[in-house]
Amino acid sequence: GRAPDKASYETLGAGGSRSLVTRLAEACPPDTFAQPGTYAVSARLEARSSGDEFGLSAFVGDIATTRPARFVVRGKTGSRSSTFRPAGPQR
């Protein structure tokens, strides 16, 4: 329910993109990845602030990734043998 501050707005040209990074452990409920396995995670943004309060015209709506990121949790979480690694071929 909070509106972002003015520094949170950014201008993108047509066809532009923006990459963001978040820590899943902070963004997801506790124990979401408590079990070993392969997980698929998609990102979603629910943009609700138009920027009017700053004289801006911002995108308002919902957007989501088209392909989920996949990763593997091996071992028992919280232990030294627990590791996260991307799923699929390594580059």
Side-chain angles (χ1 to χ4, degrees):
R2 299 180 309 160
D5 64 13
K6 189 173 183 177
S8 297
Y9 292 89
E10 183 175 339
T11 301
L12 293 175
S17 66
R18 176 72 166 99
S19 295
L20 303 169
V21 176
T22 188
R23 292 174 48 118
L24 291 177
E26 295 171 0
C28 298
D31 297 325
T32 298
F33 306 106
Q35 297 298 316
T38 301
Y39 291 85
V41 178
S42 296
R44 182 180 73 225
L45 172 68
E46 297 172 355
R48 300 289 179 253
S49 297
S50 67
D52 286 344
E53 63 272 28
F54 303 115
L56 302 171
S57 178
F59 168 81
V60 175
D62 299 343
I63 54 177
T65 55
T66 56
R67 290 179 297 156
R70 298 184 187 280
F71 63 93
V72 175
V73 175
R74 295 201 181 275
K76 197 172 164 186
T77 58
S79 73
R80 290 178 184 231
S81 64
S82 175
T83 59
F84 286 111
R85 70 172 179 80
Q90 299 296 309
R91 294 183 185 181

